Amino acid sequence: MADSVRVERGEDRVVATLDRPDVRNAIDREMIDRLHLLCAELEAVPRVLILTGAGGVFASGADIAQLRERGAADARAGINTHAFRRIRDLPMPVIAAIDGYALGGGAELAYAADIRLGAPSARIGNPETGLGILAAAGATWRLPEIVGPARAAEMLLTGRVLDADEAYAWGLLNAVHPADALLAAAHALADRIVANDALATRYTKRALLCPDAAHPAVELDLQAELFERPEKHRRMTAFLERSKR
């Protein structure tokens, strides 16, 4: 299998770089298969995931040449949908570092991340209706959660593409960094995440992803487990000792 997704593995994080430069990192079936393999790895050994793209582009969208030939059965199979949901549900946080285009399926992959950083060149949007389809791999339910229903409707119904400043103002990007500092900023964010207790971080993400009806019971159950762990006592003792200095 070709390296359409280049993976660099560390002890506490993994960097996955979408790498199909000839088609601006368009997401094809092979890339989806690679993402599934990566998800299986991170489900077994949880680590922070940083998603980025090669060549100054995050992902220009789904591979239109493949998409054009797909029929009703392919649509119902949710080829991209299931991969992006799996990324969204990974145990540890996912950070998207977006340089250049994140369009269509590329935008939906970015929406699956917990945190999105962008370069000034970032361009994010869903032009699917102009191609005779809808954004069916997460945009219609994730985008309203991120930017609000009215702004999501504007983006999805008009095909509007946001530049970096607009995406930041709308809350779609958490921060904007120079392109040559973007990956370093993602790593700095990962540093802050991994300095915290890993299980507490995983449980916080789990609670964030739960439906409204699950609250507050889910937090109370997860907190009850965390309260009984030696790590809680160790960290709180260290905090109290620092406070005395």
Side-chain angles (χ1 to χ4, degrees):
M1 194 177 289
D3 287 333
S4 58
V5 180
R6 291 189 284 107
V7 180
E8 301 169 60
R9 296 169 176 85
E11 183 178 346
D12 56 19
R13 74 199 64 180
V14 167
V15 179
T17 303
L18 310 181
D19 192 11
R20 299 185 69 213
D22 53 324
V23 287
R24 292 198 242 181
N25 303 332
I27 299 169
D28 66 352
R29 186 61 183 265
E30 180 183 294
M31 188 179 283
I32 290 294
D33 291 342
R34 293 297 298 260
L35 290 173
H36 274 297
L37 289 173
L38 178 58
C39 285
E41 178 182 333
L42 293 174
E43 289 158 358
V45 183
R47 283 159 288 173
V48 172
L49 173 61
I50 298 172
L51 285 169
T52 191
V57 176
F58 184 73
S60 59
D63 190 305
I64 301 300
Q66 285 191 7
L67 201 59
R68 183 182 59 183
E69 305 307 317
R70 291 178 184 170
D74 298 305
R76 292 191 172 94
I79 294 167
N80 289 4
T81 305
H82 293 305
F84 298 168
R85 171 163 279 177
R86 199 169 177 186
I87 288 168
R88 181 67 174 143
D89 290 341
L90 285 172
M92 288 290 282
V94 178
I95 301 166
I98 303 166
D99 191 5
Y101 292 115
L103 300 177
E108 291 179 298
L109 175 57
Y111 304 157
D114 299 287
I115 301 170
R116 284 162 295 279
L117 306 179
S121 63
R123 299 293 183 271
I124 307 172
N126 291 92
E128 280 89 343
T129 55
L131 296 171
I133 60 173
L134 61 86
T140 56
W141 69 90
R142 287 200 187 98
L143 193 55
E145 293 176 350
I146 299 168
V147 302
R151 284 173 165 168
E154 180 180 345
M155 287 182 68
L156 296 175
L157 296 175
T158 68
R160 178 177 176 179
V161 175
L162 303 185
D163 64 25
D165 290 338
E166 292 171 319
Y168 176 68
W170 283 26
L172 188 51
L173 291 177
N174 293 75
V176 178
H177 299 276
D180 59 2
L182 182 61
L183 195 56
H187 277 289
L189 198 55
D191 289 341
R192 294 183 63 180
I193 291 169
V194 301
N196 298 322
D197 177 54
L199 189 61
T201 298
R202 289 172 58 183
Y203 281 6
T204 299
K205 175 168 179 176
R206 187 183 300 180
L208 281 167
L209 295 182
C210 280
D212 289 347
H215 304 290
V218 64
E219 286 86 0
L220 301 182
D221 286 341
L222 295 172
Q223 189 77 298
E225 184 177 337
L226 293 171
F227 269 22
E228 295 296 319
R229 295 172 66 237
E231 183 64 10
K232 170 224 174 188
H233 188 273
R234 185 191 72 78
R235 284 178 175 263
M236 289 189 176
T237 300
F239 173 84
L240 292 171
E241 289 175 351
R242 288 194 301 271
S243 298
K244 292 176 183 177
R245 295 173 189 167

